[in-house]
Amino acid sequence: MSNHSSDLFYESGLAPHLGAEPGDWLALLKPRVVSLVVFTGAIGLIIAPGHINPLMGAIAIFCIALGAGAAGAINMWYDRDIDAVMRRTTTRPIPAGKIHAGGALAFGIVLAVISVLLLAMATNLCAALVLAFSIFYYAVIYTVWLKRRTPQNIVIGGGAGAFPAVIGWAAVTGQVGLLPVLLFLIVFFWTPPHFWSLALYASTDYEKAGVPMLPVVKGARHTRWNVFVYTLILFPLALSPWILGLTGWIYGITALILGAVFVYYGWAVLRDSQDAAGVSLNKDQPAKKSFKFSILYLFLLFAACAVDHVVRAHL
Amino acid sequence: MKLVQPHWDEAQKAEFLRRRRARNYLLLAALAGFSLMIYLITLVKLHGAGVGL
């Protein structure tokens, strides 16, 4: 073996790793989360009044995805200790030893800066500032500040996933309107029943990692009530764009049906067969169904919003 | 921390070099993509500002 400087590693006590595959860097960006962010960002772009050059629109969506991925990489850097403990996350690139923690942090920061600058160049300062704040919100307010401190982490952290529609809208209009704010609130109030449905049957992982998720701190019964109550709050909130005349009947009817089904799933989670502590005797089937439906709910609701806008624009 | 040389066999060494090459190509592609985007944004903005191209 040659004694070339690139063959040398700083002694860390660990066996030098062979290096990361490109796919490992991609995994740092949390592609599944990014796909949802791209979708909601694109909806914000479509429903906004006005016109944007298609190329600039595509770059705006790319920047939203890049920013979300950057926040995901910073999140993985900070959470590397608990990721190594939780079964669901042990294969992530940092705990798996494929990417050095410092490298992941640098990767996240560089991508965050590039995404914000590029968005400012392609669209406007307003969209770029909202993107910058959304990265800060997820990476610092949620990941560093709230996640390990309060069982309400998910409630406030839900805001992070709610920004893309606002960014998409701002990219076209240069400002923030009422409709994207309502969409923001919908995602904000959708997040708790979505994540707590998951946490009901994955709480041992969070408990092991010391993350104060609601089922760990307050118990399953309390969590079931919260899932149900949040679906109740979400129901009128999702209807509000229609009630306020910001969307048409396609969105309204969709929101009505989806909201009713989500409330039903929330009710099923609450009424699941359970022991005295609220632990499911039914392998958490209602919670699993509620979690799966919540993803479909958001997808269909936002898709209906875009379809509604396109149909109304052509009538 | 001091620099150390890893004790790899030939196969590991080859795999390390392959991965490093893949990473470098990826980085090159990312930089080229970034430059292309800046170029395209400039073209669109100049066109929007009425500068003939």
Side-chain angles (χ1 to χ4, degrees):
Chain A
M1 203 178 288
S2 71
N3 202 17
H4 191 265
S5 63
S6 61
D7 297 337
L8 299 173
F9 291 82
Y10 284 105
E11 193 172 38
S12 62
L14 296 170
H17 194 271
L18 290 173
E21 298 270 16
D24 297 323
W25 292 100
L26 192 69
L28 272 184
L29 305 179
K30 298 193 173 183
R32 280 198 293 183
V33 175
V34 167
S35 62
L36 183 68
V37 160
V38 164
F39 176 69
T40 53
I43 300 293
L45 213 76
I46 291 167
I47 63 171
H51 176 262
I52 185 170
N53 181 292
L55 182 65
M56 296 298 107
I59 291 177
I61 292 172
F62 174 74
C63 290
I64 294 171
L66 206 62
I74 297 169
N75 168 276
M76 281 204 203
W77 163 75
Y78 189 80
D79 277 350
R80 61 193 185 280
D81 55 337
I82 58 175
D83 281 351
V85 178
M86 300 208 299
R87 195 161 47 94
R88 188 171 61 86
T89 52
T90 45
T91 54
R92 284 180 173 175
I94 303 175
K98 293 173 180 173
I99 292 177
H100 188 266
L105 176 63
F107 182 61
I109 291 172
V110 168
L111 288 190
V113 171
I114 287 175
S115 67
V116 172
L117 290 178
L118 212 54
L119 188 62
M121 285 176 67
T123 62
N124 55 67
L125 194 61
C126 177
L129 286 176
V130 180
L131 177 64
F133 183 69
S134 73
I135 296 169
F136 174 78
Y137 193 101
Y138 185 70
V140 179
I141 297 180
Y142 170 67
T143 303
V144 177
W145 184 32
L146 294 170
K147 187 174 177 180
R148 304 184 191 204
R149 282 187 171 80
T150 166
Q152 297 299 316
N153 48 15
I154 281 305
V155 179
I156 305 154
F163 279 109
V166 181
I167 301 167
W169 177 288
V172 178
T173 63
Q175 55 191 328
V176 177
L178 179 59
L179 183 54
V181 168
L182 289 174
L183 293 179
F184 175 94
L185 289 173
I186 288 168
V187 181
F188 188 86
F189 283 95
W190 164 88
T191 309
H194 167 73
F195 266 107
W196 285 334
S197 293
L198 169 73
L200 273 170
Y201 58 90
S203 60
T204 46
D205 243 10
Y206 290 112
E207 199 170 358
K208 218 162 53 173
V211 179
M213 287 296 274
L214 199 62
V216 176
V217 178
K218 299 277 187 179
R221 187 181 298 280
H222 187 84
T223 307
R224 290 176 192 285
W225 268 107
N226 273 272
V227 168
F228 178 58
V229 167
Y230 270 93
T231 58
L232 285 180
I233 296 170
L234 190 60
F235 185 72
L237 187 65
L239 284 172
S240 62
W242 183 36
I243 294 166
L244 294 171
L246 300 169
T247 61
W249 63 270
I250 294 176
Y251 173 84
I253 300 292
T254 309
L256 198 66
I257 296 168
L258 288 172
V261 176
F262 205 10
V263 169
Y264 165 76
Y265 276 113
W267 175 252
V269 169
L270 180 65
R271 302 302 300 166
D272 186 17
S273 309
Q274 52 199 278
D275 63 15
V279 177
S280 176
L281 302 171
N282 205 11
K283 291 185 178 173
D284 273 314
Q285 287 304 321
K288 287 174 184 168
K289 285 180 183 169
S290 171
F291 176 71
K292 281 182 186 163
F293 178 76
S294 66
I295 297 167
L296 186 68
Y297 172 93
L298 200 68
F299 173 75
L300 290 179
L301 192 74
F302 273 66
C305 192
V307 170
D308 183 280
H309 175 81
V310 172
V311 169
R312 288 207 307 166
H314 288 89
L315 284 180
Chain B
M1 281 194 294
K2 64 174 186 177
L3 282 167
V4 293
Q5 190 165 16
H7 301 290
W8 282 337
D9 57 31
E10 284 306 310
Q12 285 176 312
K13 171 82 177 169
E15 177 63 14
F16 168 75
L17 290 175
R18 187 190 69 76
R19 291 186 184 193
R20 190 175 59 182
R21 199 175 301 119
R23 185 199 64 190
N24 289 343
Y25 279 132
L26 191 71
L27 201 58
L28 182 67
L31 285 171
F34 181 64
S35 307
L36 180 68
M37 259 189 283
I38 301 268
Y39 175 67
L40 291 173
I41 290 169
T42 309
L43 281 188
V44 171
K45 294 281 174 185
L46 285 176
H47 185 72
V51 179
L53 291 167

